[in-house]
Amino acid sequence: MIAEAAAVRRPWPTSMTSGPGSEATHASDDDTALVSVERPMLGGIVGVHLFPGTAAGMDVQARRDADRLLARIDAWAARLTRFTSTSDLCRLNAWPIERAPIRPTLAAVIDWGRQAEGLSSGIVDIALLDARLAAEGIGAPPAIVADSSPASRRWSIERGARTTTVVRPVGLSFDLDGVAKGWLADRAIRRLATYPSAIIDADGDIAIRLGHGASARFGVADPRSPRSFLAQLDLSAPGAGETALFGLATSGTSVHRWSIDGRPTHHLIDPRTGRPARTDIVQATVLAGSAREAEAVAKTAVILGSEAALTRLDRPGILGAILLTDQGTVLVTPSTTAWLS
């Protein structure tokens, strides 16, 4: 398990179809050809959704492939969780000296965490576990930190010919959470190269590949009403013979939320203060070219608040964004209108 179970329905494909005669999917223009296999994982539900084609037995093979991939995702996630003391992540957090050797899967996710930090100008920070635990009422409140990371929180990753090493102050602890989910979704979909159209939903961080003629509609959940959508997005490949890759992720303050001493708080830590972010965004959904990028940008948008987020989201690489504020206002970036149904 990477994190606690989500209380709000994440963006979910309301349909996935293929145009008649599509060479990529060979599926009819309805939902019946979609093979979906789901399993409780990552504190929620992980799903593999495939278009197997219409040849005899292909749906059976697709289910086998989906089951195998779910088992693989589960094995990857077991190395990355902070809830099992024997995981690679927990071993890293408990390592008694500054230089900690790590194995390839954890190394890849830690490396992505460093990239996400750069992408978000430091807002995504995987070295804030102590602050997260303090926000949950576990441990002492962290000291307020300066805008630039102090020496006590600096860390680096070194790659050698045979080993990868994390260099950090003893006691500095990592929390991969959403960073791992987006990475898992992207890694998993690469293992489905024989399926031109596929969706991997890593408990709300979604990697999408659509082949020629295929399309998918996703409903963006309204946290105020579990049966309602804020919007619906129609995704498809750009042209004949082309394959489209998308990532869709939602972050917000309405899921992992609790009260301490009668005061409401949440799990999204602002690294500039070391405390839960004070923000007017309740939920941010981002469409990008990968699940891991969408997750990092969505989290950044929530922490920054609507004014700064809208400026950050209106740039190349971000295909769309839908924000819900604490005043009930729904905001969308200009690029989003190309995908709204």
Side-chain angles (χ1 to χ4, degrees):
M1 181 168 68
I2 298 292
E4 303 88 340
V8 176
R9 184 71 167 167
R10 64 258 189 220
W12 189 254
T14 57
S15 66
M16 183 173 176
T17 63
S18 169
S22 166
E23 295 180 1
T25 62
H26 300 290
S28 60
D29 194 13
D30 57 36
D31 299 335
T32 59
L34 181 64
V35 170
S36 296
V37 181
E38 298 179 327
R39 183 179 299 177
M41 205 184 303
L42 306 182
I45 300 293
V46 174
V48 178
H49 310 276
L50 304 171
F51 260 135
T54 57
M58 286 298 293
D59 58 336
V60 175
Q61 183 61 49
R63 290 187 182 278
R64 289 174 181 164
D65 290 342
D67 280 331
R68 292 192 191 101
L69 184 56
L70 285 168
R72 177 67 67 177
I73 295 170
D74 201 15
W76 291 331
R79 302 169 190 171
L80 307 173
T81 179
R82 64 180 173 91
F83 296 98
T84 303
S85 62
T86 56
S87 73
D88 287 4
L89 176 62
C90 284
R91 289 194 183 104
L92 167 62
N93 286 342
W95 199 257
I97 59 177
E98 289 186 352
R99 301 179 65 85
I102 56 176
R103 297 196 291 182
T105 298
L106 180 58
V109 181
I110 290 282
D111 188 54
W112 164 242
R114 177 60 86 198
Q115 294 178 54
E117 182 180 345
L119 175 70
S120 64
S121 301
I123 297 299
V124 175
D125 189 334
I126 63 173
L128 288 172
L129 179 57
D130 287 345
R132 167 74 180 267
L133 294 177
E136 296 174 6
I138 305 172
I144 296 177
V145 298
D147 287 346
S148 58
S149 297
S152 62
R153 291 179 50 245
R154 290 195 184 120
W155 62 274
S156 62
I157 185 168
E158 297 178 354
R159 292 189 177 274
R162 295 185 178 181
T163 61
T164 300
T165 303
V166 170
V167 182
R168 89 282 184 247
V170 175
L172 183 68
S173 298
F174 298 92
D175 179 16
L176 299 178
D177 199 7
V179 166
K181 290 181 182 180
W183 182 90
L184 286 167
D186 289 336
R187 182 172 185 180
I189 206 165
R190 290 198 297 269
R191 298 180 73 93
L192 294 171
T194 57
Y195 294 89
S197 296
I199 297 172
I200 303 292
D201 181 355
D203 191 39
D205 288 359
I206 307 172
I208 306 151
R209 183 172 62 240
L210 298 175
H212 170 52
S215 63
R217 174 174 292 174
F218 290 81
V220 179
D222 186 339
R224 302 164 299 181
S225 177
R227 296 180 180 275
S228 300
F229 294 128
L230 293 176
Q232 295 190 84
L233 302 175
D234 283 333
L235 309 182
S236 60
E242 296 186 44
T243 297
L245 293 173
F246 300 98
L248 188 63
T250 292
S251 185
T253 62
S254 62
V255 179
H256 306 305
R257 192 172 183 87
W258 52 88
S259 294
I260 296 179
D261 297 329
R263 293 177 298 177
T265 187
H266 58 83
H267 73 296
L268 292 179
I269 304 300
D270 187 336
R272 298 168 298 184
T273 65
R275 291 188 167 88
R278 299 182 65 178
T279 176
D280 65 335
I281 296 182
V282 175
Q283 178 175 289
T285 296
V286 171
L287 180 67
S290 67
R292 59 184 180 177
E293 183 179 8
E295 187 280 332
V297 174
K299 181 185 296 180
T300 300
V302 176
I303 292 173
L304 289 177
S306 60
E307 184 176 354
L310 287 171
T311 300
R312 182 72 64 92
L313 291 166
D314 189 16
R315 63 180 179 82
I318 306 304
L319 305 177
I322 300 170
L323 312 178
L324 174 66
T325 74
D326 56 9
Q327 300 300 309
T329 304
V330 178
L331 306 172
V332 300
T333 57
S335 59
T336 312
T337 56
W339 311 102
L340 294 175
S341 60

